[in-house]
């Protein structure tokens, strides 16, 4: 890629249609707003909760609300986007006046518990056809996330072009291409899971984690934010798991705007994602806020847990 290739320029060079480019431009604009707000939130009293509980039964943080508004406000400007689904909205938003080529499904702030402690968080998004919102994950047109870490990085996966990283240069306010197409290593050296739940996991999951720790000599890395943990695995290989347990058989993560987009990215990079008994990309959702167990990572490890059929 030529030096200083911006995200919009990359998409134009890749031959992506102007409507899709407009969608990604507005996603990246929302991300720039969120990144800017995160930098000063602690100084301006923007941390902490709103006192509201969302449809998931979780406390809404001020920044969850702010990021959701930024995504909605910016995507409303794209005539080709006719449906929005967000972790922070009880119902999907249908924009009848729009032409309707795309639906955007997103988690505006992933890893909210990291907000108040100034650690990495993310935003996750998935692009589908409006008629495919409740279709299996393989129908996604594109998926990506933004990791707000030491640098703000936008990762975008498209079937034909693979997975590419764009890093925000704050001095010019542009996401610049930094690497790609990225391939996930065939196997890795770390795994990430909330091991406080070990006792409540199923026998196969417990056995798998025992194998990772023992015979396979993996180390543990877990940050409490899926985007950060996933990015480590995308770059270095390994496994991230959030399985179901006795009280929550479907785990914690949401299928449409957390598990499926990351499964799509993993798949485009040569990795794999499964629930405890199926490929994530094959699951047909029944509801927009449906949860699923998620085990995602390098091919060698995931195939060992659930051999590909
Ligand atoms: P959120 O979108 O409400 O922040 O929830 C998703 C997060 C993931 O980022 C993370 O991997 C997981 O929940 C952490 O859960 P736990 O605190 O139970 O380990
Ligand atoms: Mg989330």
């Amino acid at each position: 890629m030529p030096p200083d290739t911006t995200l919009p320029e990359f998409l134009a060079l890749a031959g992506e249609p102007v409507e899709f480019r407009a969608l990604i431009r507005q996603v990246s604009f929302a991300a720039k707003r969120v990144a800017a707000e995160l930098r000063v939130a602690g100084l301006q009293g923007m941390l902490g909760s709103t006192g509201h509980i969302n449809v998931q039964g979780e406390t809404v943080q001020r920044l969850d609300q702010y990021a959701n508004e930024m995504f909605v406000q910016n995507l409303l400007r794209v005539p080709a986007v006719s449906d929005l689904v967000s972790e922070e909205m009880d119902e999907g938003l249908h924009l009848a006046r729009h032409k309707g080529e795309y639906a955007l499904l997103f988690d505006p702030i992933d890893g909210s518990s990291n907000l108040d402690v100034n650690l990495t968080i993310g935003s996750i998004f998935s692009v589908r056809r409006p008629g495919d919102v409740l279709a299996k994950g393989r129908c996604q047109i594109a998926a990506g996330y933004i990791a707000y870490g030491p640098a703000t990085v936008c990762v975008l996966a498209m079937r034909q072009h693979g997975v590419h990283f764009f890093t925000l240069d704050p001095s010019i306010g542009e996401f610049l291409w930094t690497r790609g197409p990225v391939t996930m290593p065939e196997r890795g050296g770390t795994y990430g899971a909330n091991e406080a739940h070990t006792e409540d996991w199923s026998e196969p999951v417990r056995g798998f984690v025992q194998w990772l720790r023992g015979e396979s000599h993996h180390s543990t890395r877990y940050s409490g934010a899926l985007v950060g943990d996933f990015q480590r695995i995308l770059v270095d290989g390994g496994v991230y798991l959030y399985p179901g347990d006795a009280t929550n058989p479907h785990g914690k993560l949401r299928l449409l705007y957390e598990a499926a987009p990351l499964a799509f990215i993993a798949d485009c990079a040569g990795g794999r994602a499964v629930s405890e008994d199926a490929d994530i990309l094959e699951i047909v959702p029944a509801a927009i806020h449906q949860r699923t167990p998620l085990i995602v990572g390098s091919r060698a490890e995931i195939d060992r847990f659930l051999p590909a059929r």
Side-chain angles (χ1 to χ4, degrees):
M1 225 24 83
D4 284 354
T5 302
T6 64
L7 175 53
E9 209 182 342
F10 174 90
L11 293 175
L13 289 171
E16 289 301 317
V18 69
E19 294 80 6
F20 180 76
R21 282 150 50 192
L23 182 165
I24 297 295
R25 188 184 61 231
Q26 293 311 101
V27 167
S28 71
F29 194 90
K32 287 179 205 174
R33 279 268 181 240
V34 173
E37 189 61 30
L38 286 170
R39 235 172 285 134
V40 294
L43 299 169
Q44 297 179 348
M46 269 294 282
L47 295 176
S49 105
T50 58
H52 179 75
I53 306 285
N54 71 9
V55 66
Q56 329 276 334
E58 292 159 355
T59 308
V60 179
Q61 303 290 318
R62 286 202 180 93
L63 278 162
D64 284 327
Q65 197 174 51
Y66 176 83
N68 191 58
E69 277 166 23
M70 284 306 115
F71 272 82
V72 172
Q73 182 180 306
N74 279 288
L75 269 304
L76 284 177
R77 297 192 183 167
V78 186
V81 173
S82 64
D83 290 270
L84 296 174
V85 170
S86 162
E87 176 177 333
E88 299 303 338
M89 303 192 300
D90 299 3
E91 310 274 340
L93 197 64
H94 177 65
L95 312 163
R97 68 199 155 83
H98 284 191
K99 202 166 71 179
E101 256 168 272
Y102 300 113
L104 189 84
L105 300 81
F106 58 98
D107 179 358
I109 297 280
D110 176 67
S112 306
S113 76
N114 279 4
L115 280 169
D116 286 356
V117 291
N118 191 30
L119 291 176
T120 294
I121 54 159
S123 302
I124 308 176
F125 62 93
S126 158
V127 185
R128 292 176 179 244
R129 295 284 174 219
D132 283 348
V133 167
L134 291 180
K136 59 184 177 186
R138 254 190 223 292
C139 297
Q140 289 171 100
I141 294 170
Y145 65 80
I146 295 96
Y148 310 95
T152 298
V153 175
C154 175
V155 172
L156 181 63
M158 292 169 291
R159 240 336 131 215
Q160 290 162 349
H161 310 297
V163 181
H164 292 263
F165 283 40
F166 302 86
T167 304
L168 180 63
D169 182 338
S171 61
I172 53 169
E174 292 277 5
F175 280 101
L176 301 177
W177 179 90
T178 35
R179 61 192 292 184
V182 170
T183 312
M184 191 185 286
E186 175 68 14
R187 66 177 65 240
T190 65
Y191 73 94
N194 183 341
E195 295 198 89
H197 302 299
T198 308
E199 311 280 280
D200 298 322
W201 290 342
S202 68
E203 207 39 59
V205 171
R206 278 208 300 235
F208 178 55
V209 171
Q210 221 149 35
W211 171 79
L212 287 167
R213 279 208 290 252
E215 201 183 316
S216 195
H217 302 295
H218 281 61
S219 292
T220 312
R221 293 285 185 278
Y222 189 70
S223 73
L226 173 59
V227 160
D229 290 327
F230 176 80
Q231 181 154 281
R232 176 189 295 281
I233 282 151
L234 179 59
V235 174
D236 290 340
V239 185
Y240 168 95
L241 319 72
Y242 209 114
D245 61 35
T247 354
N248 304 299
H250 302 294
K252 175 183 183 188
L253 302 172
R254 275 55 51 123
L255 177 59
L256 283 179
Y257 41 79
E258 291 177 325
L262 296 190
F264 183 87
I265 300 168
D267 194 56
C268 289
R272 190 176 167 220
V274 299
S275 65
E276 285 173 54
D277 54 12
D279 274 85
I280 294 286
L281 295 178
E282 295 302 325
I283 301 174
V284 179
I288 58 172
H289 296 299
Q290 179 172 332
R291 294 177 196 259
T292 179
L294 174 65
I295 302 167
V296 58
S298 292
R299 203 77 218 194
E301 286 94 322
I302 306 298
D303 286 356
R304 154 113 197 179
F305 174 72
L306 189 71
R309 295 198 182 108

